[in-house]
Amino acid sequence: MIAELQQAVANYAHALDELNMPELEAVLTEDTTWTFTMPGQGVLGPVTGRAAAGDATSLSRPTRRPSSPRS
């Protein structure tokens, strides 16, 4: 049971980190309620339901500034 929970948490974290919505939806239950905070957008949600969570997270990865070359 503990190994299954650890795997579910790992799958959730990986899907969220990669913004892989199909994988994220596969981890969530149908009655999921999710509230999250997006930088510059404030609090989003709560959203309820597996598909709604996936739809609400139509996110883009934060853009990273290229590092400047060192002289």
Side-chain angles (χ1 to χ4, degrees):
M1 176 77 160
I2 291 175
E4 291 171 354
L5 292 173
Q6 289 172 327
Q7 187 61 55
V9 170
N11 291 346
Y12 169 80
H14 177 74
L16 193 57
D17 186 48
E18 296 296 320
L19 298 176
N20 183 331
M21 292 308 106
E23 188 177 323
L24 181 61
E25 289 177 22
V27 174
L28 301 174
T29 62
E30 191 54 48
D31 62 347
T32 291
T33 300
W34 197 18
T35 303
F36 49 100
T37 303
M38 290 297 300
Q41 296 180 23
V43 176
L44 302 175
V47 294
T48 303
R50 182 183 299 151
D55 291 344
T57 55
S58 55
L59 313 173
S60 59
R61 287 184 178 272
T63 50
R64 296 183 184 174
R65 292 184 184 157
S67 58
S68 49
R70 294 183 180 172
S71 318

